[in-house]
Amino acid sequence: MASSVWPARISPVSGSAKLLDYVHGGGKVVGTYMSMDNGCDETNPLYGNRMLGDSYWDRDFIMPNDEVGARLPKEEFVMYERGARVRTAGSRVLLDSVEPYFNREGRYFCSHLHAPSAGRVGFPAATRYGDVVYFSHPLFRIYKDFAPSWVKAIFADVLDLLMPRQLVRKDDGHTVSGLEVQLRRSGSRNSLMLHCLYYPCKKSAANLYTIDEKVPLSDQRVRVYAGDAEIESVRAIRQGEVISERDYTVADGYVDLNIPKIDGYEIIELSLK
């Protein structure tokens, strides 16, 4: 269903009208940092925040809670790049930022690349406005530049909030992070086709990532949404083997599946009755 919290009195700025229409139609949006910013000290109709400009801090911290960062220790985690200052204007705070003692510059020095946490709550680090979540840090650039595991953890929790019924997901504790999975439905075969791909990249050369070996995986666990459909059989197509009923369970519309072997690439066919 479309969200009903959007203020009709606020005219969307150029570039955000399509996203507002998308959300009104039931879509979900995750925005970060200055994306779709409509000017300093103005209310952004997509995020439900007043956008105040860049953060005072080169690097500050986030404090996980039971909703976002639920699997992380309840302690500060550094965000490696400058974020934005925002205040809520109808949105709800999902995650707080925490200020450092100072910026590491001029007369102020710390042996690390950032000062430690001062324990003071700063501007919101994440907010929710209906079906839109906003992160005040450049979350994806931080992950591209530094790959901190806590960025993946908080983003995964936000996806769960926005899309509690995901069509396919990996079991973090029993599935390697590099395994790529894609789910397709085959009408002609009346089945769900789960494509599983794992070819780890290596940085052997200065200018190119390469794939020069195949690493088999065993016992990878994936959850697939089948809805009201009944499962007739499960088969690994490339291996030509039937997966035993001991390796999957069906409950509440989901198939919890243990894939015995993935030799680089495998297609798991879930035949429906």
Side-chain angles (χ1 to χ4, degrees), residues 105-182:
E105 60 186 8
R107 297 169 53 199
Y108 300 97
F109 177 78
C110 178
S111 59
H112 289 69
L113 293 179
H114 54 271
S117 165
R120 297 187 300 264
V121 174
F123 289 95
T127 60
R128 181 172 185 176
Y129 191 45
D131 290 326
V132 177
V133 169
Y134 169 78
F135 287 100
S136 60
H137 294 89
L139 203 70
F140 304 114
R141 188 167 76 231
I142 289 174
Y143 191 78
K144 177 180 72 71
D145 292 342
F146 298 96
S149 60
W150 48 93
V151 166
K152 283 204 322 184
I154 63 174
F155 187 71
D157 285 347
V158 163
L159 286 183
D160 286 341
L161 290 176
L162 292 177
M163 298 186 297
R165 197 189 72 182
Q166 298 173 24
L167 295 180
V168 59
R169 65 179 302 161
K170 298 183 292 185
D171 184 334
D172 292 339
H174 300 88
T175 312
V176 298
S177 61
L179 176 64
E180 297 183 20
V181 293
Q182 294 185 2

Side-chain angles (χ1 to χ4, degrees), residues 49-65:
N49 294 326
R50 284 181 59 207
M51 314 297 287
L52 305 179
D54 271 325
S55 171
Y56 304 127
W57 311 109
D58 291 335
R59 293 182 175 183
D60 58 4
F61 303 82
I62 57 168
M63 173 58 77
N65 55 54

Side-chain angles (χ1 to χ4, degrees), residues 56 58 60 81 92 95 147-148 161 165 167 170 182 200 207 221 228-229 233 247 251 253 255 261 264:
Y56 304 127
D58 291 335
D60 58 4
E81 297 184 14
R92 178 173 68 90
L95 192 69
L161 290 176
R165 197 189 72 182
L167 295 180
K170 298 183 292 185
Q182 294 185 2
N207 298 319
R221 298 186 186 178
D228 296 332
S233 64
D247 283 316
V255 181
K261 184 178 180 181

Side-chain angles (χ1 to χ4, degrees), residues 4 21 30 46 51 85 95 103 115-116 124 129 164 171 219 222 228 246 256 262 266:
S4 61
D21 288 343
V30 176
L46 181 65
M51 314 297 287
R85 290 178 292 121
L95 192 69
N103 284 331
Y129 191 45
D171 184 334
D219 296 324
V222 180
D228 296 332
R246 296 191 302 271
D256 288 296
I262 300 172
E266 187 56 78

Side-chain angles (χ1 to χ4, degrees), residues 255-267:
V255 181
D256 288 296
L257 173 66
N258 180 73
I259 305 174
K261 184 178 180 181
I262 300 172
D263 192 17
Y265 175 47
E266 187 56 78
I267 305 172

Side-chain angles (χ1 to χ4, degrees), residues 75-88:
E75 59 188 45
E76 295 95 338
F77 289 82
V78 65
M79 301 301 280
Y80 289 107
E81 297 184 14
R82 188 186 295 270
R85 290 178 292 121
V86 300
R87 291 197 187 280
T88 58

